[in-house]
Amino acid sequence: MPITDRTAPRPAVRPWVDEAVRRLRADANRSADTHLVRLDLPAGWDVDVYLKDESTHPTGSLKHRLARSLFLYALCNGYLHEGTTVVEASSGSTAVSEAHFARMLGLPFVAVMHRRTSPEKIALIEREGGRCEFVDDPGEVYDVSRAIAERTGGHFMDQFTYAERATDWRGNNNIAESTLGQLSMERHPCPTWVVVGAGTGGTSATFGRYFRLHGLSAQLCVVDPEGSAFLPAFAGEATSGLPTGSRIEGIGRPRVEPSFIPEVVDRMIGVPDAASVATMRFLRDRVGISCGPSTGTAVYAALRLACELREQGRSGSIVTLLCDGGDRYAHTYGSPGWVREQGWDCEAYLPVLGRAWDEGVWDEGVWRDGVPAR
């Protein structure tokens, strides 16, 4: 019986895909790593706190790494071809980075986001050639993104599902490998805690898996803002009604996303929204660091952990991320008038931050179990 060649004729897509992959890898090859900044805490502390400054990426945020990984994942799995419309559900920073890479590859890009997204981020997406579609309910972004992808014959990148698998957590200069390498000559080279927020859950999955792969004693703390589904689910708590979704851009979700891997998380801390914004202001005024609100969320918890270590008489280091710069939020979180309109009393948290920074003492009169005491 003759052998039949059943190979179906396929369009000549490989040359375009090969060139697209080369461009993305070349971009990574010519990019320097981001800085690990040690905060200047009072003399005599045996606890160090570091910020991994992801705002220095070409697209200005932590999501630059994720966006590149998502594009490589989609290309190597055959989801993207010449002319494919790329669609993403994003609160802003991922969309900015994906729009950048879509423009690099000559692909149309559409971002689906909540209407409250900061105008600065919208302008950055449009500057990169992307188009923005807005929804009133944060939970609508998934279905609207799928519908646009289907209508255009495009591809829904779906960061909330694919972030944890698109990133190579085993190595390849991921954020965990980079951070631990930069700590190698510090006095506490293995961090006691790494503190990150969860939007997709991809960053927390990368750190948690990397610690286990290399047998590191470091622990992972994930911070969560008000209204997010991650912390209640992690704690096994019943919630009254559905989570409303986060008002802190970039972290917190109205549902537990598929990319969030709770099994690699050691601890979660809830941070009030007003505390996140107060920390943003504190870092700007006291330290000269401009950052977004999700960085404020993480630093607030990192300082709490530093005070816990000092209270226990333990030494160590704590690392968190500077996810993006404050210039993206000048008309929202950086505007006192806008903040007042949200009903946030940031003043109540500034003394907590000041005492933690100056004395290494956490004031339980204001904070108790992740929420402000009343």
Side-chain angles (χ1 to χ4, degrees), residues 192-206:
T192 308
W193 289 103
V194 169
V195 182
V196 300
T200 62
T203 301
S204 60
T206 299

Side-chain angles (χ1 to χ4, degrees), residues 177-194:
E177 182 180 55
S178 169
T179 301
L180 270 293
Q182 289 174 316
L183 280 170
S184 63
M185 298 184 70
E186 300 299 303
R187 61 175 179 167
H188 305 299
C190 181
T192 308
W193 289 103
V194 169

Side-chain angles (χ1 to χ4, degrees), residues 22-35 52-61 63-65 68-69 72 97 100-101 104 172-174 178 182:
R22 185 200 66 77
R23 290 184 186 184
L24 293 174
R25 296 186 67 185
D27 171 80
N29 189 57
R30 64 177 175 264
S31 297
D33 199 359
T34 58
H35 298 293
K52 177 76 165 158
D53 188 359
E54 295 292 284
S55 71
T56 58
H57 283 296
T59 55
S61 81
K63 300 299 186 179
H64 191 85
R65 296 179 190 266
R68 185 195 293 120
S69 295
L72 286 169
S97 299
H100 172 82
F101 288 116
M104 182 183 294
N172 194 29
N173 197 34
N174 65 50
S178 169
Q182 289 174 316

Side-chain angles (χ1 to χ4, degrees), residues 61 63 66-67 70 87-99 109-118 121-122 125 131-135 138 140-142 144-145 156-160 199-200 249-253 257 328:
S61 81
K63 300 299 186 179
L66 172 61
L70 287 167
V87 185
E88 184 60 283
S90 171
S91 63
S93 287
T94 302
V96 173
S97 299
E98 287 190 13
F109 179 77
V110 180
V112 181
M113 64 186 66
H114 193 276
R115 200 172 300 280
R116 288 200 308 260
T117 300
S118 69
K121 285 186 179 179
I122 294 168
I125 294 165
R131 177 168 63 87
C132 299
E133 293 279 345
F134 302 100
V135 298
E140 295 176 346
V141 293
Y142 318 99
V144 172
S145 296
F156 175 28
M157 198 70 87
D158 197 359
Q159 59 168 327
F160 299 109
T200 62
E249 278 191 32
I251 58 173
R253 300 295 304 162
E257 302 294 353
R328 295 186 171 190

Side-chain angles (χ1 to χ4, degrees), residues 34 52-54 57 61-70 93-94 97 159-171 173-180 193-212 218-223 230 250-253 257-268 294-295 298 319-324:
T34 58
K52 177 76 165 158
D53 188 359
E54 295 292 284
H57 283 296
S61 81
L62 166 68
K63 300 299 186 179
H64 191 85
R65 296 179 190 266
L66 172 61
R68 185 195 293 120
S69 295
L70 287 167
S93 287
T94 302
S97 299
Q159 59 168 327
F160 299 109
T161 295
Y162 294 104
E164 56 88 9
R165 67 195 74 173
T167 301
D168 184 3
W169 51 271
R170 299 167 188 84
N173 197 34
N174 65 50
I175 191 168
E177 182 180 55
S178 169
T179 301
L180 270 293
W193 289 103
V194 169
V195 182
V196 300
T200 62
T203 301
S204 60
T206 299
F207 273 108
R209 289 164 166 171
Y210 190 87
F211 295 161
R212 285 156 177 76
Q219 292 184 288
L220 175 66
C221 176
V222 172
V223 292
F230 290 123
I251 58 173
R253 300 295 304 162
E257 302 294 353
S259 273
F260 180 66
I261 312 297
E263 290 79 8
V264 303
V265 178
D266 297 292
R267 179 176 179 180
M268 288 196 70
S294 63
T295 302
V319 180
T320 190
L321 309 179
L322 201 170
C323 300
D324 58 8

